Amino acid sequence: MFSDRELERYKRQILLFGEEGQERLKAAHIFIAGAGGLGSPIAIYLAVAGVGTITVVDMDTVDQSNLNRQILHTDRDVGKKKTVSALEKLQAYNPDITVNAIDATIGAENVGRLVGRADGIVDAMDNYPIRYLLNRVALEKKIPFFHGAIRGFYGQATTIIPGETPCLECIFPKAPPKEVFPVVGVTPGVIGTVQATEVVKYLTKSGKLLSGRLFTWDGLCATAEEITIVQNPACPACCTGATKEMR
Amino acid sequence: MTVKVRFFARFRELLGTDILAEPGTGTAISTLVKDIAQHKKEGYDAIFDDNGAFREFVIVMRNGKRVEIPDAGKTVVADGDEIAVFPPVAGG
């Protein structure tokens, strides 16, 4: 059931997917790994869309150099924990949802517990080792994993549905070397919004997901393309039953 | 024969994209990409290691199908092929 305020707030999107779709959003729990460049637009758009429970995990403190892209945080948040800043903003955007902001470092020992009973995991990380952990926990829990990554003006996204699509390790079996990546805020804006769109579509059962397809965005050329991706029959993550260990 | 080579992400910044090449019969994917990348050292080094092999994280696709790195040296291109070469993008 929705309050009058909620019905008014969501009026324009109830036109799209009905109260039934809105109820699906309200009943959902989405886990966002990271409150940085990608995590900011993802969290904001899922909050205003009315995803009932949002868990966001980050271990960092807001730094001045984050502010060109991490739009959850403002100049006066510098020095605050990102989770504190994220909680304030998301509750201000939408007081009718529950936000769990957890100050933690995601690792093999806690990832399963942190994700808990979430209905989906959104990738807003900046490195592959943690992405691989999230991919595996999503496979284990049989929940979707909404991947996104960016560099410079370029970004990519795909939606991984366990048992149906290739997983992240099928697509990218080896992590690239670590680097301080260049980025302008509009790029995580584009890719994070694509990821949030996928979450809304998945939860409301709308449209056609980015499954089995890697969406690529080249902001310099203003071109979006897709690359067909297939499961790797030798994938150690999704094809050998190696996902049973992370509880 | 004409083969299109498409670079993505950082490789595109360094080497351009949608390059039409005219390799000779029997040219392997790795030879073709090497020939194209060779004109720009930074681009070449981003894709190939010191032994001239594709770096292990590089994704190579031929007509939308993945070519495993160890096979790229013996997979021969054909007229009309489209070769895609891209790195995993990591930032967030």
Side-chain angles (χ1 to χ4, degrees), chain A residues 105-125:
Chain A
T105 303
I106 298 172
E109 70 296 341
N110 65 358
V111 63
R113 183 168 43 80
L114 285 170
V115 173
R117 301 182 66 182
D119 300 300
I121 300 174
V122 193
D123 171 7
M125 283 282 118

Side-chain angles (χ1 to χ4, degrees), chain B:
Chain B
M1 94 173 122
T2 305
V3 174
K4 189 193 270 188
V5 177
R6 310 190 68 205
F7 293 111
F8 289 83
R10 180 147 189 266
F11 300 165
R12 178 178 293 183
E13 288 168 20
L14 295 167
L15 296 164
T17 192
D18 287 11
I19 295 158
L20 291 175
E22 296 192 346
T25 307
T27 303
I29 291 176
S30 57
T31 308
L32 172 69
V33 177
K34 243 183 258 186
D35 283 350
I36 293 168
Q38 229 137 22
H39 75 271
K40 191 162 183 190
K41 187 176 185 306
E42 204 186 343
Y44 181 93
D45 289 345
I47 298 175
F48 296 101
D49 65 19
D50 294 343
N51 300 316
F54 278 109
R55 293 189 182 277
E56 61 173 9
F57 59 83
V58 175
I59 311 297
V60 179
M61 295 180 96
R62 178 190 182 204
N63 302 327
K65 284 194 180 152
R66 176 75 149 271
V67 176
E68 297 300 329
I69 293 298
D71 299 331
K74 51 193 183 210
T75 305
V76 170
V77 294
D79 188 37
D81 272 359
E82 187 172 298
I83 308 295
V85 185
F86 56 98
V89 174

Side-chain angles (χ1 to χ4, degrees), chain A residues 37-38 125-126 128 131 149-151 154 156 170-174 176-177 181 218 225 227-228, chain B residues 6 8-10 12-13 18 56-57 59 61 64-66 68 84 86-92:
Chain A
L38 287 171
M125 283 282 118
D126 61 358
Y128 272 81
R131 284 191 171 98
I150 47 115
R151 185 189 190 280
Y154 186 91
Q156 64 187 31
C170 291
I171 313 166
F172 299 113
K174 301 279 183 191
F181 60 94
D218 182 340
E225 298 173 64
I227 297 169
T228 302
Chain B
R6 310 190 68 205
F8 289 83
R10 180 147 189 266
R12 178 178 293 183
E13 288 168 20
D18 287 11
E56 61 173 9
F57 59 83
I59 311 297
M61 295 180 96
K65 284 194 180 152
R66 176 75 149 271
E68 297 300 329
F86 56 98
V89 174

Side-chain angles (χ1 to χ4, degrees), chain A residues 52-205:
Chain A
T53 307
I54 292 173
T55 295
V56 59
V57 177
D58 204 297
M59 42 76 87
D60 247 335
T61 300
V62 179
D63 186 84
Q64 198 80 45
S65 68
N66 300 149
L67 301 181
N68 78 321
R69 62 196 185 281
Q70 302 188 10
I71 57 171
L72 262 177
H73 317 298
T74 66
D75 201 70
R76 61 176 186 194
D77 298 317
V78 170
K80 272 188 204 167
K81 292 303 286 190
K82 286 187 184 175
T83 43
V84 171
S85 165
L87 180 63
E88 285 172 8
K89 307 308 180 330
L90 296 174
Q91 291 285 216
Y93 269 115
N94 192 345
D96 291 322
I97 62 166
T98 301
V99 179
N100 308 311
I102 304 173
D103 178 21
T105 303
I106 298 172
E109 70 296 341
N110 65 358
V111 63
R113 183 168 43 80
L114 285 170
V115 173
R117 301 182 66 182
D119 300 300
I121 300 174
V122 193
D123 171 7
M125 283 282 118
D126 61 358
N127 68 86
Y128 272 81
I130 306 294
R131 284 191 171 98
Y132 290 145
L133 285 177
L134 295 167
N135 176 59
R136 290 206 180 204
V137 85
L139 291 169
E140 177 201 319
K141 291 176 185 275
K142 298 184 171 59
I143 55 174
F145 181 46
F146 302 92
H147 163 70
I150 47 115
R151 185 189 190 280
F153 281 93
Y154 186 91
Q156 64 187 31
T158 189
T159 297
I160 293 160
I161 309 288
E164 288 180 30
T165 69
C167 80
L168 192 71
E169 284 190 53
C170 291
I171 313 166
F172 299 113
K174 301 279 183 191
K178 278 192 175 169
E179 63 165 347
V180 176
F181 60 94
V183 60
V184 58
V186 289
T187 307
V190 171
I191 297 298
T193 309
V194 168
Q195 291 174 276
T197 306
E198 287 294 288
V199 174
V200 170
K201 282 160 56 189
Y202 173 79
L203 293 175
T204 59
K205 300 183 188 294

